Amino acid sequence: MNPFGSLLTLGAVGLGAVYVNARQYAAIVRRRKQRAKEAEKRRLLSANGASDDGAGAMERGTRVRYASRSAHAKNRVRGPNGKYLTRAELLAGAGGEEAKARAEARELDIAERARKREAKAREREEKKRAKAARDQAARAAADAAAADAADARRAAA
């Protein structure tokens, strides 16, 4: 392997040969082999009519990279044009009665969480004020004690 770079052919891409970092060459080749292996597996599965997930992604010729994101997207309400409906549209009833009820319940949940957040912020602020008052009282007591000690020294002198 050339220490200054390796010649990597791009084959089907049609860009000819490209020089790449010698340290990257092995990883690039390894990833290409892995992709080819997965493509062959998908081709065989689709030829047999099999599917590797319950959603039928292999039957459609696509893979689901993040299953939870895909499930979330499938559960979202869409409008007649296929776009996701906004919160305001759901609350207006554009997605049907069930979607409107879910949106209203979500609004109540969001409002409750906001109230709890505000209550915690108030509580933190009250604690901060109480601590500041205690610190000020302690400083005043220390100053008074220092002044009394100074008076006692002056009287003794």
Side-chain angles (χ1 to χ4, degrees):
M1 196 181 291
N2 184 350
F4 301 109
S6 297
L7 191 59
L8 183 69
T9 56
L10 297 178
V13 177
L15 297 177
V18 175
Y19 280 96
V20 296
N21 186 335
R23 293 179 181 178
Q24 295 173 340
Y25 181 77
I28 292 170
V29 171
R30 185 176 61 241
R31 282 194 298 268
R32 282 186 178 183
K33 285 181 183 176
Q34 184 64 30
R35 268 192 238 110
K37 186 176 172 183
E38 288 175 2
E40 181 66 18
K41 180 181 171 185
R42 282 194 305 274
R43 189 184 65 75
L44 289 173
L45 283 173
S46 65
N48 294 336
S51 170
D52 74 341
D53 69 342
M58 285 297 158
E59 294 168 9
R60 293 189 306 271
T62 61
R63 286 188 301 178
V64 176
R65 182 169 287 183
Y66 303 106
S68 61
R69 183 184 293 177
S70 176
H72 174 70
K74 288 176 187 173
N75 288 332
R76 287 186 66 186
V77 180
R78 296 177 184 261
N81 57 0
K83 291 184 179 179
Y84 296 123
L85 295 177
T86 64
R87 183 185 297 176
E89 292 168 337
L90 288 172
L91 289 170
E97 289 302 315
E98 183 182 341
K100 182 178 180 180
R102 281 194 314 204
E104 288 170 348
R106 175 119 171 92
E107 286 296 310
L108 291 174
D109 185 44
I110 290 170
E112 179 62 27
R113 279 190 271 142
R115 279 193 293 276
K116 286 181 180 178
R117 237 186 344 264
E118 290 167 1
K120 280 186 177 182
R122 279 193 304 274
E123 187 179 317
R124 279 192 303 268
E125 193 62 35
E126 289 172 10
K127 283 183 180 179
K128 195 186 293 185
R129 281 194 205 111
K131 184 179 184 307
R134 282 193 311 270
D135 292 347
Q136 186 177 6
R139 279 192 300 272
D143 290 344
D148 289 344
D151 288 344
R153 275 181 283 179
R154 270 190 240 119

